[in-house]
Amino acid sequence: MKTYIVGNWKLNFTVGEASIYLHKILKNLPAYRDVEVVVAPSLLALQPLSLQVDRRKMKLAAQNGFYRDYGAFTGEVSFSQLRGIVDYAIIGHSERRYVFREDDKMIAKKVEAAVRNRITPILCIGETESERAFGETSDVIRDQLMGGLRDVSDDDLDKVIIAYEPVWAISSTKASKLATPDEISEVVKLIKKNLTEIYGAKLADEVPILFGGSVNPSNAGAYLTVPGVNGLLIGGASLILSEFIDIIDTAKRVRS
Ligand code: PGA
């Protein structure tokens, strides 16, 4: 399985800035066959960047998308419109869940629509600080995982990526708010167990599991060596050229 390094640019960069930044990344990045580098610019930048990107080096992801293909849905962009422009889509990010009130039902429809349009969904799941404190982590993980994959058949499971992103570890500046490799390992096991229960061990083993939450060049190596972790979803550090490249190089090093 490849190692995935996914940069989530969130609501940053104008289209012009995004284009310049992409150019710089491409210039500094060798084509690594075993490391799949993906960036998720804002929706507005996706189309022009799709003409600029060198797909041997890097793929594009949408940060969101709508589950209906067309119709009276003012302001939305569908996965059918994104088809051919992006290879991946981040779905169910905690900011979508908590700022925009997306629930598992809506997220499941988005996952299904992405798969139907040949876009690989990166389904984000993760507990909040208080859910962890109340011992609810395993229930939350199970609910979000099974809720999000509700409409994914056995045949389509290999078209899905899971990202474990503990909400309390996202955009953290304090060391105490960083997930430890042991904490991540425990949840990755849980994800595998749940997937195995529903889809069987053979199919479950093929699903890449990424970790995200304040990943930076100094912790990327430790996170990438957690058993069962197949890559990283990176916010803040993906906006800084040297840090993003450093993390990609770490991924390459850890594999060889
Ligand atoms: P962060 O963001 O790396 O800035 O914590 C990760 C994410 O929200 O996907």
mmCIF file of all heavy atoms in Angstrom, residues 127-173:
data_model
loop_
_atom_site.group_PDB
_atom_site.id
_atom_site.type_symbol
_atom_site.label_atom_id
_atom_site.label_comp_id
_atom_site.label_asym_id
_atom_site.label_seq_id
_atom_site.Cartn_x
_atom_site.Cartn_y
_atom_site.Cartn_z
ATOM 1 N N GLU A 127 -12.953 11.802 17.819
ATOM 2 C CA GLU A 127 -13.703 12.222 18.998
ATOM 3 C C GLU A 127 -13.279 13.614 19.454
ATOM 4 O O GLU A 127 -12.149 14.038 19.196
ATOM 5 C CB GLU A 127 -13.510 11.204 20.132
ATOM 6 C CG GLU A 127 -12.190 11.304 20.908
ATOM 7 C CD GLU A 127 -10.966 10.834 20.130
ATOM 8 O OE1 GLU A 127 -11.090 10.403 18.975
ATOM 9 O OE2 GLU A 127 -9.851 10.918 20.703
ATOM 10 N N THR A 128 -14.189 14.286 20.157
ATOM 11 C CA THR A 128 -13.847 15.581 20.755
ATOM 12 C C THR A 128 -13.149 15.333 22.103
ATOM 13 O O THR A 128 -13.129 14.203 22.606
ATOM 14 C CB THR A 128 -15.105 16.438 21.012
ATOM 15 O OG1 THR A 128 -15.920 15.731 21.960
ATOM 16 C CG2 THR A 128 -15.897 16.687 19.736
ATOM 17 N N GLU A 129 -12.663 16.408 22.668
ATOM 18 C CA GLU A 129 -11.976 16.306 23.962
ATOM 19 C C GLU A 129 -12.927 15.753 25.039
ATOM 20 O O GLU A 129 -12.561 14.872 25.817
ATOM 21 C CB GLU A 129 -11.469 17.698 24.353
ATOM 22 C CG GLU A 129 -10.571 17.672 25.557
ATOM 23 C CD GLU A 129 -9.850 19.004 25.754
ATOM 24 O OE1 GLU A 129 -10.327 20.039 25.206
ATOM 25 O OE2 GLU A 129 -8.828 19.002 26.438
ATOM 26 N N SER A 130 -14.161 16.271 25.078
ATOM 27 C CA SER A 130 -15.054 15.821 26.143
ATOM 28 C C SER A 130 -15.523 14.389 25.898
ATOM 29 O O SER A 130 -15.684 13.617 26.845
ATOM 30 C CB SER A 130 -16.228 16.784 26.323
ATOM 31 O OG SER A 130 -17.048 16.750 25.198
ATOM 32 N N GLU A 131 -15.701 14.003 24.651
ATOM 33 C CA GLU A 131 -16.074 12.602 24.380
ATOM 34 C C GLU A 131 -14.973 11.665 24.875
ATOM 35 O O GLU A 131 -15.244 10.629 25.479
ATOM 36 C CB GLU A 131 -16.328 12.407 22.878
ATOM 37 C CG GLU A 131 -17.648 13.033 22.426
ATOM 38 C CD GLU A 131 -17.784 13.213 20.927
ATOM 39 O OE1 GLU A 131 -16.781 13.128 20.181
ATOM 40 O OE2 GLU A 131 -18.912 13.485 20.476
ATOM 41 N N ARG A 132 -13.729 12.058 24.660
ATOM 42 C CA ARG A 132 -12.614 11.241 25.156
ATOM 43 C C ARG A 132 -12.623 11.198 26.683
ATOM 44 O O ARG A 132 -12.504 10.129 27.291
ATOM 45 C CB ARG A 132 -11.278 11.781 24.630
ATOM 46 C CG ARG A 132 -10.055 11.041 25.164
ATOM 47 C CD ARG A 132 -8.815 11.323 24.369
ATOM 48 N NE ARG A 132 -8.733 10.511 23.166
ATOM 49 C CZ ARG A 132 -8.066 9.350 23.071
ATOM 50 N NH1 ARG A 132 -7.407 8.878 24.112
ATOM 51 N NH2 ARG A 132 -8.037 8.671 21.937
ATOM 52 N N ALA A 133 -12.823 12.383 27.293
ATOM 53 C CA ALA A 133 -12.811 12.453 28.758
ATOM 54 C C ALA A 133 -13.921 11.584 29.371
ATOM 55 O O ALA A 133 -13.750 11.012 30.443
ATOM 56 C CB ALA A 133 -12.966 13.903 29.206
ATOM 57 N N PHE A 134 -15.046 11.480 28.691
ATOM 58 C CA PHE A 134 -16.151 10.669 29.208
ATOM 59 C C PHE A 134 -16.070 9.203 28.768
ATOM 60 O O PHE A 134 -17.023 8.441 28.944
ATOM 61 C CB PHE A 134 -17.501 11.276 28.788
ATOM 62 C CG PHE A 134 -17.902 12.456 29.624
ATOM 63 C CD1 PHE A 134 -17.764 13.750 29.144
ATOM 64 C CD2 PHE A 134 -18.401 12.284 30.922
ATOM 65 C CE1 PHE A 134 -18.114 14.850 29.914
ATOM 66 C CE2 PHE A 134 -18.752 13.382 31.712
ATOM 67 C CZ PHE A 134 -18.610 14.671 31.209
ATOM 68 N N GLY A 135 -14.969 8.820 28.165
ATOM 69 C CA GLY A 135 -14.777 7.414 27.779
ATOM 70 C C GLY A 135 -15.626 6.992 26.592
ATOM 71 O O GLY A 135 -15.973 5.813 26.449
ATOM 72 N N GLU A 136 -15.994 7.962 25.753
ATOM 73 C CA GLU A 136 -16.894 7.637 24.644
ATOM 74 C C GLU A 136 -16.173 7.416 23.309
ATOM 75 O O GLU A 136 -16.811 7.245 22.273
ATOM 76 C CB GLU A 136 -17.916 8.770 24.462
ATOM 77 C CG GLU A 136 -18.833 8.935 25.668
ATOM 78 C CD GLU A 136 -19.621 10.245 25.641
ATOM 79 O OE1 GLU A 136 -19.431 11.066 24.725
ATOM 80 O OE2 GLU A 136 -20.420 10.450 26.574
ATOM 81 N N THR A 137 -14.831 7.442 23.340
ATOM 82 C CA THR A 137 -14.086 7.408 22.075
ATOM 83 C C THR A 137 -14.486 6.226 21.182
ATOM 84 O O THR A 137 -14.770 6.407 19.991
ATOM 85 C CB THR A 137 -12.568 7.374 22.348
ATOM 86 O OG1 THR A 137 -12.243 8.536 23.099
ATOM 87 C CG2 THR A 137 -11.749 7.380 21.058
ATOM 88 N N SER A 138 -14.553 5.024 21.752
ATOM 89 C CA SER A 138 -14.817 3.868 20.880
ATOM 90 C C SER A 138 -16.223 3.926 20.285
ATOM 91 O O SER A 138 -16.424 3.538 19.130
ATOM 92 C CB SER A 138 -14.570 2.544 21.598
ATOM 93 O OG SER A 138 -15.348 2.479 22.735
ATOM 94 N N ASP A 139 -17.189 4.439 21.044
ATOM 95 C CA ASP A 139 -18.548 4.570 20.493
ATOM 96 C C ASP A 139 -18.587 5.593 19.365
ATOM 97 O O ASP A 139 -19.221 5.381 18.331
ATOM 98 C CB ASP A 139 -19.540 5.012 21.589
ATOM 99 C CG ASP A 139 -19.816 3.883 22.562
ATOM 100 O OD1 ASP A 139 -19.584 2.718 22.188
ATOM 101 O OD2 ASP A 139 -20.253 4.169 23.698
ATOM 102 N N VAL A 140 -17.907 6.730 19.583
ATOM 103 C CA VAL A 140 -17.907 7.787 18.569
ATOM 104 C C VAL A 140 -17.253 7.280 17.279
ATOM 105 O O VAL A 140 -17.768 7.474 16.177
ATOM 106 C CB VAL A 140 -17.161 9.052 19.084
ATOM 107 C CG1 VAL A 140 -16.974 10.076 17.978
ATOM 108 C CG2 VAL A 140 -17.917 9.663 20.259
ATOM 109 N N ILE A 141 -16.120 6.616 17.441
ATOM 110 C CA ILE A 141 -15.404 6.087 16.265
ATOM 111 C C ILE A 141 -16.285 5.101 15.508
ATOM 112 O O ILE A 141 -16.430 5.170 14.283
ATOM 113 C CB ILE A 141 -14.064 5.415 16.703
ATOM 114 C CG1 ILE A 141 -13.094 6.477 17.244
ATOM 115 C CG2 ILE A 141 -13.434 4.620 15.573
ATOM 116 C CD1 ILE A 141 -12.685 7.552 16.265
ATOM 117 N N ARG A 142 -16.913 4.218 16.251
ATOM 118 C CA ARG A 142 -17.783 3.222 15.606
ATOM 119 C C ARG A 142 -18.946 3.904 14.871
ATOM 120 O O ARG A 142 -19.233 3.601 13.716
ATOM 121 C CB ARG A 142 -18.316 2.249 16.667
ATOM 122 C CG ARG A 142 -19.096 1.141 16.065
ATOM 123 C CD ARG A 142 -19.659 0.171 17.100
ATOM 124 N NE ARG A 142 -20.498 -0.792 16.414
ATOM 125 C CZ ARG A 142 -20.043 -1.854 15.766
ATOM 126 N NH1 ARG A 142 -18.761 -2.101 15.754
ATOM 127 N NH2 ARG A 142 -20.864 -2.663 15.138
ATOM 128 N N ASP A 143 -19.596 4.843 15.572
ATOM 129 C CA ASP A 143 -20.764 5.519 14.963
ATOM 130 C C ASP A 143 -20.367 6.289 13.709
ATOM 131 O O ASP A 143 -21.054 6.231 12.685
ATOM 132 C CB ASP A 143 -21.401 6.502 15.959
ATOM 133 C CG ASP A 143 -22.135 5.779 17.076
ATOM 134 O OD1 ASP A 143 -22.265 4.542 16.988
ATOM 135 O OD2 ASP A 143 -22.559 6.450 18.036
ATOM 136 N N GLN A 144 -19.272 7.037 13.794
ATOM 137 C CA GLN A 144 -18.881 7.865 12.644
ATOM 138 C C GLN A 144 -18.395 6.998 11.483
ATOM 139 O O GLN A 144 -18.657 7.295 10.319
ATOM 140 C CB GLN A 144 -17.801 8.880 13.051
ATOM 141 C CG GLN A 144 -18.337 9.939 14.010
ATOM 142 C CD GLN A 144 -17.310 11.026 14.314
ATOM 143 O OE1 GLN A 144 -16.159 10.946 13.908
ATOM 144 N NE2 GLN A 144 -17.748 12.038 15.057
ATOM 145 N N LEU A 145 -17.703 5.918 11.822
ATOM 146 C CA LEU A 145 -17.183 5.030 10.778
ATOM 147 C C LEU A 145 -18.328 4.297 10.084
ATOM 148 O O LEU A 145 -18.475 4.349 8.861
ATOM 149 C CB LEU A 145 -16.214 4.026 11.422
ATOM 150 C CG LEU A 145 -15.436 3.124 10.492
ATOM 151 C CD1 LEU A 145 -14.467 3.923 9.642
ATOM 152 C CD2 LEU A 145 -14.649 2.088 11.297
ATOM 153 N N MET A 146 -19.150 3.642 10.878
ATOM 154 C CA MET A 146 -20.251 2.874 10.289
ATOM 155 C C MET A 146 -21.301 3.798 9.681
ATOM 156 O O MET A 146 -21.894 3.485 8.649
ATOM 157 C CB MET A 146 -20.888 1.973 11.360
ATOM 158 C CG MET A 146 -19.954 0.888 11.826
ATOM 159 S SD MET A 146 -19.382 -0.072 10.410
ATOM 160 C CE MET A 146 -17.636 -0.047 10.610
ATOM 161 N N GLY A 147 -21.512 4.946 10.315
ATOM 162 C CA GLY A 147 -22.464 5.927 9.779
ATOM 163 C C GLY A 147 -21.998 6.433 8.421
ATOM 164 O O GLY A 147 -22.760 6.498 7.467
ATOM 165 N N GLY A 148 -20.740 6.764 8.331
ATOM 166 C CA GLY A 148 -20.196 7.327 7.090
ATOM 167 C C GLY A 148 -20.112 6.311 5.959
ATOM 168 O O GLY A 148 -20.217 6.660 4.788
ATOM 169 N N LEU A 149 -19.905 5.039 6.320
ATOM 170 C CA LEU A 149 -19.731 4.004 5.286
ATOM 171 C C LEU A 149 -21.030 3.245 4.995
ATOM 172 O O LEU A 149 -21.008 2.228 4.296
ATOM 173 C CB LEU A 149 -18.656 2.994 5.742
ATOM 174 C CG LEU A 149 -17.235 3.537 5.895
ATOM 175 C CD1 LEU A 149 -16.298 2.428 6.372
ATOM 176 C CD2 LEU A 149 -16.717 4.132 4.587
ATOM 177 N N ARG A 150 -22.110 3.752 5.539
ATOM 178 C CA ARG A 150 -23.403 3.057 5.451
ATOM 179 C C ARG A 150 -23.734 2.573 4.035
ATOM 180 O O ARG A 150 -24.266 1.484 3.855
ATOM 181 C CB ARG A 150 -24.489 4.026 5.938
ATOM 182 C CG ARG A 150 -25.746 3.372 6.400
ATOM 183 C CD ARG A 150 -26.758 4.423 6.723
ATOM 184 N NE ARG A 150 -26.924 5.334 5.584
ATOM 185 C CZ ARG A 150 -27.722 6.396 5.588
ATOM 186 N NH1 ARG A 150 -28.382 6.702 6.677
ATOM 187 N NH2 ARG A 150 -27.843 7.163 4.513
ATOM 188 N N ASP A 151 -23.451 3.383 3.045
ATOM 189 C CA ASP A 151 -23.847 3.029 1.676
ATOM 190 C C ASP A 151 -22.675 2.515 0.838
ATOM 191 O O ASP A 151 -22.753 2.496 -0.394
ATOM 192 C CB ASP A 151 -24.483 4.241 0.986
ATOM 193 C CG ASP A 151 -25.743 4.689 1.717
ATOM 194 O OD1 ASP A 151 -26.487 3.798 2.194
ATOM 195 O OD2 ASP A 151 -25.966 5.904 1.846
ATOM 196 N N VAL A 152 -21.594 2.120 1.504
ATOM 197 C CA VAL A 152 -20.441 1.592 0.756
ATOM 198 C C VAL A 152 -20.492 0.057 0.774
ATOM 199 O O VAL A 152 -20.443 -0.560 1.836
ATOM 200 C CB VAL A 152 -19.103 2.102 1.357
ATOM 201 C CG1 VAL A 152 -17.911 1.450 0.666
ATOM 202 C CG2 VAL A 152 -19.023 3.621 1.260
ATOM 203 N N SER A 153 -20.613 -0.527 -0.402
ATOM 204 C CA SER A 153 -20.719 -1.987 -0.496
ATOM 205 C C SER A 153 -19.337 -2.628 -0.357
ATOM 206 O O SER A 153 -18.315 -1.934 -0.430
ATOM 207 C CB SER A 153 -21.306 -2.366 -1.851
ATOM 208 O OG SER A 153 -20.389 -1.967 -2.854
ATOM 209 N N ASP A 154 -19.320 -3.943 -0.181
ATOM 210 C CA ASP A 154 -18.052 -4.677 -0.105
ATOM 211 C C ASP A 154 -17.171 -4.359 -1.318
ATOM 212 O O ASP A 154 -15.968 -4.164 -1.201
ATOM 213 C CB ASP A 154 -18.311 -6.191 -0.105
ATOM 214 C CG ASP A 154 -18.843 -6.671 1.238
ATOM 215 O OD1 ASP A 154 -19.292 -5.810 2.039
ATOM 216 O OD2 ASP A 154 -18.822 -7.886 1.469
ATOM 217 N N ASP A 155 -17.828 -4.302 -2.476
ATOM 218 C CA ASP A 155 -17.084 -4.076 -3.727
ATOM 219 C C ASP A 155 -16.414 -2.713 -3.771
ATOM 220 O O ASP A 155 -15.433 -2.517 -4.496
ATOM 221 C CB ASP A 155 -18.033 -4.163 -4.937
ATOM 222 C CG ASP A 155 -18.373 -5.598 -5.244
ATOM 223 O OD1 ASP A 155 -17.721 -6.483 -4.656
ATOM 224 O OD2 ASP A 155 -19.288 -5.827 -6.055
ATOM 225 N N ASP A 156 -16.970 -1.753 -3.050
ATOM 226 C CA ASP A 156 -16.444 -0.380 -3.125
ATOM 227 C C ASP A 156 -15.532 -0.006 -1.950
ATOM 228 O O ASP A 156 -14.989 1.094 -1.928
ATOM 229 C CB ASP A 156 -17.612 0.624 -3.184
ATOM 230 C CG ASP A 156 -18.267 0.635 -4.554
ATOM 231 O OD1 ASP A 156 -17.584 0.275 -5.533
ATOM 232 O OD2 ASP A 156 -19.452 0.997 -4.645
ATOM 233 N N LEU A 157 -15.370 -0.922 -1.004
ATOM 234 C CA LEU A 157 -14.572 -0.548 0.173
ATOM 235 C C LEU A 157 -13.135 -0.168 -0.199
ATOM 236 O O LEU A 157 -12.521 0.694 0.432
ATOM 237 C CB LEU A 157 -14.571 -1.672 1.216
ATOM 238 C CG LEU A 157 -13.974 -1.260 2.562
ATOM 239 C CD1 LEU A 157 -14.858 -0.238 3.277
ATOM 240 C CD2 LEU A 157 -13.713 -2.458 3.463
ATOM 241 N N ASP A 158 -12.621 -0.783 -1.261
ATOM 242 C CA ASP A 158 -11.242 -0.465 -1.652
ATOM 243 C C ASP A 158 -11.117 0.912 -2.314
ATOM 244 O O ASP A 158 -10.032 1.318 -2.722
ATOM 245 C CB ASP A 158 -10.673 -1.558 -2.571
ATOM 246 C CG ASP A 158 -11.439 -1.651 -3.885
ATOM 247 O OD1 ASP A 158 -12.527 -1.045 -3.990
ATOM 248 O OD2 ASP A 158 -10.951 -2.339 -4.800
ATOM 249 N N LYS A 159 -12.233 1.646 -2.402
ATOM 250 C CA LYS A 159 -12.185 2.995 -2.993
ATOM 251 C C LYS A 159 -12.270 4.055 -1.904
ATOM 252 O O LYS A 159 -12.536 5.229 -2.190
ATOM 253 C CB LYS A 159 -13.325 3.165 -3.991
ATOM 254 C CG LYS A 159 -13.306 2.112 -5.078
ATOM 255 C CD LYS A 159 -14.441 2.266 -6.066
ATOM 256 C CE LYS A 159 -14.399 1.185 -7.124
ATOM 257 N NZ LYS A 159 -14.992 -0.083 -6.672
ATOM 258 N N VAL A 160 -12.088 3.650 -0.660
ATOM 259 C CA VAL A 160 -12.290 4.556 0.467
ATOM 260 C C VAL A 160 -11.026 4.662 1.319
ATOM 261 O O VAL A 160 -10.300 3.688 1.471
ATOM 262 C CB VAL A 160 -13.469 4.024 1.332
ATOM 263 C CG1 VAL A 160 -13.567 4.743 2.651
ATOM 264 C CG2 VAL A 160 -14.790 4.120 0.578
ATOM 265 N N ILE A 161 -10.778 5.869 1.838
ATOM 266 C CA ILE A 161 -9.685 6.087 2.796
ATOM 267 C C ILE A 161 -10.310 6.630 4.087
ATOM 268 O O ILE A 161 -11.243 7.428 4.032
ATOM 269 C CB ILE A 161 -8.667 7.108 2.223
ATOM 270 C CG1 ILE A 161 -7.976 6.525 0.981
ATOM 271 C CG2 ILE A 161 -7.634 7.518 3.270
ATOM 272 C CD1 ILE A 161 -7.025 7.498 0.296
ATOM 273 N N ILE A 162 -9.785 6.188 5.217
ATOM 274 C CA ILE A 162 -10.259 6.708 6.507
ATOM 275 C C ILE A 162 -9.166 7.592 7.104
ATOM 276 O O ILE A 162 -7.986 7.238 7.068
ATOM 277 C CB ILE A 162 -10.558 5.547 7.496
ATOM 278 C CG1 ILE A 162 -11.561 4.536 6.900
ATOM 279 C CG2 ILE A 162 -11.065 6.091 8.835
ATOM 280 C CD1 ILE A 162 -12.924 5.089 6.586
ATOM 281 N N ALA A 163 -9.552 8.745 7.639
ATOM 282 C CA ALA A 163 -8.578 9.582 8.364
ATOM 283 C C ALA A 163 -9.042 9.711 9.807
ATOM 284 O O ALA A 163 -10.169 10.168 10.061
ATOM 285 C CB ALA A 163 -8.470 10.957 7.707
ATOM 286 N N TYR A 164 -8.187 9.285 10.729
ATOM 287 C CA TYR A 164 -8.491 9.490 12.150
ATOM 288 C C TYR A 164 -7.932 10.836 12.564
ATOM 289 O O TYR A 164 -6.715 11.050 12.524
ATOM 290 C CB TYR A 164 -7.894 8.364 13.002
ATOM 291 C CG TYR A 164 -7.983 8.675 14.493
ATOM 292 C CD1 TYR A 164 -9.201 9.055 15.064
ATOM 293 C CD2 TYR A 164 -6.862 8.619 15.313
ATOM 294 C CE1 TYR A 164 -9.291 9.375 16.413
ATOM 295 C CE2 TYR A 164 -6.942 8.924 16.660
ATOM 296 C CZ TYR A 164 -8.163 9.304 17.203
ATOM 297 O OH TYR A 164 -8.245 9.633 18.534
ATOM 298 N N GLU A 165 -8.828 11.737 12.939
ATOM 299 C CA GLU A 165 -8.417 13.074 13.371
ATOM 300 C C GLU A 165 -9.095 13.411 14.699
ATOM 301 O O GLU A 165 -10.249 13.865 14.703
ATOM 302 C CB GLU A 165 -8.833 14.117 12.327
ATOM 303 C CG GLU A 165 -8.136 13.982 11.005
ATOM 304 C CD GLU A 165 -7.965 15.326 10.309
ATOM 305 O OE1 GLU A 165 -8.966 16.013 10.073
ATOM 306 O OE2 GLU A 165 -6.817 15.699 10.030
ATOM 307 N N PRO A 166 -8.408 13.154 15.809
ATOM 308 C CA PRO A 166 -9.015 13.534 17.093
ATOM 309 C C PRO A 166 -9.209 15.058 17.107
ATOM 310 O O PRO A 166 -8.257 15.796 16.859
ATOM 311 C CB PRO A 166 -7.976 13.082 18.131
ATOM 312 C CG PRO A 166 -6.722 12.804 17.380
ATOM 313 C CD PRO A 166 -7.051 12.614 15.942
ATOM 314 N N VAL A 167 -10.439 15.483 17.357
ATOM 315 C CA VAL A 167 -10.751 16.912 17.223
ATOM 316 C C VAL A 167 -9.875 17.754 18.149
ATOM 317 O O VAL A 167 -9.436 18.848 17.800
ATOM 318 C CB VAL A 167 -12.263 17.152 17.498
ATOM 319 C CG1 VAL A 167 -12.620 18.623 17.323
ATOM 320 C CG2 VAL A 167 -13.120 16.299 16.564
ATOM 321 N N TRP A 168 -9.570 17.189 19.326
ATOM 322 C CA TRP A 168 -8.791 17.921 20.331
ATOM 323 C C TRP A 168 -7.328 18.104 19.913
ATOM 324 O O TRP A 168 -6.617 18.924 20.497
ATOM 325 C CB TRP A 168 -8.868 17.206 21.691
ATOM 326 C CG TRP A 168 -8.583 15.725 21.610
ATOM 327 C CD1 TRP A 168 -9.493 14.735 21.371
ATOM 328 C CD2 TRP A 168 -7.316 15.064 21.731
ATOM 329 N NE1 TRP A 168 -8.882 13.502 21.335
ATOM 330 C CE2 TRP A 168 -7.547 13.677 21.559
ATOM 331 C CE3 TRP A 168 -6.012 15.505 21.976
ATOM 332 C CZ2 TRP A 168 -6.526 12.735 21.629
ATOM 333 C CZ3 TRP A 168 -4.994 14.566 22.044
ATOM 334 C CH2 TRP A 168 -5.251 13.199 21.874
ATOM 335 N N ALA A 169 -6.892 17.365 18.916
ATOM 336 C CA ALA A 169 -5.477 17.474 18.505
ATOM 337 C C ALA A 169 -5.307 18.319 17.244
ATOM 338 O O ALA A 169 -4.188 18.492 16.758
ATOM 339 C CB ALA A 169 -4.904 16.074 18.277
ATOM 340 N N ILE A 170 -6.418 18.835 16.696
ATOM 341 C CA ILE A 170 -6.321 19.611 15.456
ATOM 342 C C ILE A 170 -5.891 21.043 15.768
ATOM 343 O O ILE A 170 -6.380 21.647 16.729
ATOM 344 C CB ILE A 170 -7.672 19.584 14.692
ATOM 345 C CG1 ILE A 170 -7.948 18.162 14.179
ATOM 346 C CG2 ILE A 170 -7.668 20.570 13.521
ATOM 347 C CD1 ILE A 170 -9.266 17.994 13.459
ATOM 348 N N SER A 171 -4.985 21.569 14.974
ATOM 349 C CA SER A 171 -4.484 22.954 15.102
ATOM 350 C C SER A 171 -4.036 23.263 16.525
ATOM 351 O O SER A 171 -4.337 24.313 17.075
ATOM 352 C CB SER A 171 -5.557 23.964 14.699
ATOM 353 O OG SER A 171 -6.046 23.683 13.440
ATOM 354 N N SER A 172 -3.325 22.332 17.106
ATOM 355 C CA SER A 172 -2.904 22.508 18.488
ATOM 356 C C SER A 172 -1.492 23.109 18.557
ATOM 357 O O SER A 172 -0.634 22.776 17.748
ATOM 358 C CB SER A 172 -2.917 21.149 19.184
ATOM 359 O OG SER A 172 -2.399 21.273 20.456
ATOM 360 N N THR A 173 -1.295 23.994 19.520
ATOM 361 C CA THR A 173 0.049 24.536 19.678
ATOM 362 C C THR A 173 0.696 23.975 20.948
ATOM 363 O O THR A 173 1.907 24.051 21.131
ATOM 364 C CB THR A 173 0.008 26.078 19.773
ATOM 365 O OG1 THR A 173 -1.046 26.440 20.665
ATOM 366 C CG2 THR A 173 -0.225 26.709 18.410
#
